Structure formats: structure tokens, C-alpha cells
Amino acid sequence: MVSFITNLINGLSLGSIYAIIAIGYTMVYGIAKMLNFAHGDIIMVGGYLAFTIITTLGLPVGLGILVAVVGCLGLGVAIEKIAYKPLRNAGSPLAVLITAIGVSYFLENMALLIFGSDPRIFTSVVPFSTVKIGPFTIPGTTIISIVVSLLLVFFLQMFVNKTKPGQAMLAVAQDRDAASLMGISVNGTISLTFAIGSAMAGIAGVLLCSAYPTLSPYTGAMPGIKAFVAAVFGGIGSIPGAMIGGLLLGVIEILGRTYISSQLSDAIVFSVLIIVLLVKPTGLMGKVTQEKV
């Protein structure tokens, strides 16, 4: 029983990181109606920025986290302005999708040129290693990851529902043309969405590298794909759905790896996604929308 609960906690820890990444996916899709497949590589950039500040330069951990978040925020806005904005009215979503894949490969190869292919050992940003609660010894990264993900979802929900920029996001997500006619800056709102999603990717990158301290140019590739699966699992476009999807995905992966097969854990995750979508195609918290012709 103790072993099962420990694995469950570890699954929630991994799932909370997936949830933070998935929120970035779901926000961009919900508002800009595009899939930013470079999102996983922004996680990697955040990890390298924090690594450079903390380990290479020996500066304070707080500064490293701040640089990672601000750097990823700026990178996300720049990618949106340079790569995606010119294609916004292209008419074909395939053009944006191919561009996103191109941006992903560009970021990976830039990291290879700058840092090389050899993995780096990342220093955890969590100030305490473990916390003992009864018979359970919980890693500090697990506690911090879960707490940070819950706080981010709470404040993001408050931001979207209680502030004018958040209301503008909801309006653009509902009808971009109507929002523009009401005086809302569609371009500014989409840029703000990319900024928030990319800043969260920076936080996720630091947490991911703290929990799994091996950093390479491909660090964000698989977590990015799984976070996208989590967003679809929970209902893409829904922030609470992304949170729930991420947590469930992390638990399924860890329990599958422990009790079934470590080699088949990824296959189990994607199989569960297929089953859920067969039963509920919009995801767990997705809503069916009707388009008027």
C-alpha cells in the first residue's frame, strides 16, 4: 500500500509538470486556434537559460528562474510575431502546423550548436531534498511541482475570468472578427496568450529539469508531445481540463511503468487517450460547439 501511494504521488508530480505545459498548448489553441508544436522546445530553452545562470555563472537560483521565465516569454512572443503572425490569414492550418514543426527543429539545432549534444547535469532549484510525512518520504521537487501547478491554474483562471485582458482572450476565442469590431486588439491578445503560455513553459522547464536532472537539446521533445496529449485528454481549450488531463496522464504513466512495463509505459498512455477519445471525442472537459452556417 505504501509503495502504491508513493507511486501515485510521483505520478501526480510528473502530471503537474505535464499540466503546466498543457495549459500553454490549450491557451494558444483556444484563442489563436493553432497548435504550437515548438512549445516543448521552449521548455528546453528555459532549462538551458536556468542552467547557464545557476550552474555556469554561479548566480542565485531565483535569478536563474527569473531569467528562464522572462527569456521564454520573450522567445514565445518573438516566435509568434516572426513565424506565426504572417500566416494567421493564410487560410490553411497546414501552413501554420508545418511552420511550428520547423520552429521546433530550429530551436533544437540552435541548442545543439550552442551547447553541444552532451547532456548536462541540472542543479535542482528546490531548496529541500525530501519531506517525511509518516511512512512516506516525498521529494521536494514533487511538493513544489504540485503546489506550483495548482497555484498557476488558480491565478490563471482568476486572470481569464476577472480581468479585462482575460475577458479579451475569451472574446477572441469566441469570435475573432466580432472581438475586433468591439475594439479588442486581436493581435495584442494573441501575443499576450503566447507570452503567458511561454512563461509557463519556462517554469515547467525548470521544474522538469529539477525532477529529472539531465538536460539536452531534446529534453522538451517528449514531454511536449505528452503535454499535448494531456491537453487533448482533458479537452483542448479548457484550462481546468488541461490540469486534470496532465495529472491523470502522469499517474497513468508512472503506474503503468511500475506495475505493467517500463518499456510500454508510453504505449499505455497513448492507448488510454485513444480509448477516452472514442468514448468522448472532445476530451474529459471539452464541450461540443456548433457552427452556424
Side-chain angles (χ1 to χ4, degrees), residues 1-291:
M1 188 62 182
V2 173
S3 174
F4 175 78
I5 295 176
T6 300
N7 287 317
L8 187 63
I9 294 171
N10 291 335
L12 291 174
S13 172
L14 179 60
S16 63
I17 297 174
Y18 287 158
I20 296 172
I21 307 169
I23 290 169
Y25 272 117
T26 207
M27 285 185 67
V28 169
Y29 180 82
I31 294 166
K33 295 297 182 288
M34 62 160 291
L35 297 174
N36 179 23
F37 279 115
H39 194 65
D41 294 290
I42 297 176
I43 299 166
M44 172 268 296
V45 172
Y48 271 115
L49 288 174
F51 174 84
T52 301
I53 296 297
I54 298 169
T55 303
T56 306
L57 300 180
L59 296 175
V61 169
L63 180 61
I65 298 172
L66 179 63
V67 169
V69 173
V70 174
C72 288
L73 184 154
L75 178 61
V77 172
I79 290 172
E80 191 274 328
K81 292 287 187 186
I82 296 170
Y84 300 146
K85 185 179 177 182
L87 299 172
R88 196 169 294 157
N89 298 317
S92 172
L94 186 61
V96 180
L97 180 62
I98 293 172
T99 301
I101 295 171
V103 171
S104 173
Y105 280 112
F106 173 78
L107 293 177
E108 288 178 5
N109 281 277
M110 285 299 295
L112 280 169
L113 286 173
I114 296 170
F115 298 102
S117 59
D118 294 335
R120 310 294 178 92
I121 302 301
F122 190 90
T123 303
S124 176
V125 301
V126 180
F128 53 93
S129 58
T130 59
V131 172
K132 191 169 181 61
I133 302 175
F136 306 105
T137 301
I138 305 172
T141 52
T142 296
I143 296 172
I144 294 297
S145 297
I146 295 173
V147 170
V148 167
S149 65
L150 292 174
L151 287 175
L152 285 174
V153 170
F154 173 76
F155 284 117
L156 196 56
Q157 281 287 90
M158 293 294 292
F159 173 80
V160 169
N161 294 316
K162 301 296 183 182
T163 67
K164 286 185 177 180
Q167 293 294 302
M169 288 181 176
L170 293 176
V172 173
Q174 187 71 24
D175 191 321
R176 193 179 299 180
D177 294 331
S180 180
L181 291 173
M182 294 299 292
I184 294 172
S185 173
V186 173
N187 289 332
T189 301
I190 292 175
S191 294
L192 177 61
T193 304
F194 268 86
I196 294 173
S198 299
M200 295 187 71
I203 297 171
V206 173
L207 291 174
L208 178 67
C209 292
S210 295
Y212 303 91
T214 302
L215 177 61
S216 79
Y218 306 106
T219 291
M222 185 54 74
I225 293 173
K226 289 180 179 178
F228 172 67
V229 170
V232 176
F233 192 10
I236 194 160
S238 167
I239 293 174
M243 180 70 184
I244 293 172
L247 292 175
L248 288 176
L249 199 76
V251 170
I252 291 167
E253 181 176 342
I254 293 297
L255 293 181
R257 184 184 302 167
T258 303
Y259 296 107
I260 300 176
S261 170
S262 59
Q263 296 177 336
L264 295 176
S265 59
D266 291 344
I268 294 167
V269 166
F270 289 104
S271 299
V272 171
L273 172 69
I274 293 170
I275 294 169
V276 169
L277 293 182
L278 287 173
V279 176
K280 199 172 189 299
T282 57
L284 296 176
M285 298 188 68
K287 296 179 180 178
V288 178
T289 58
Q290 295 181 348
E291 293 188 5

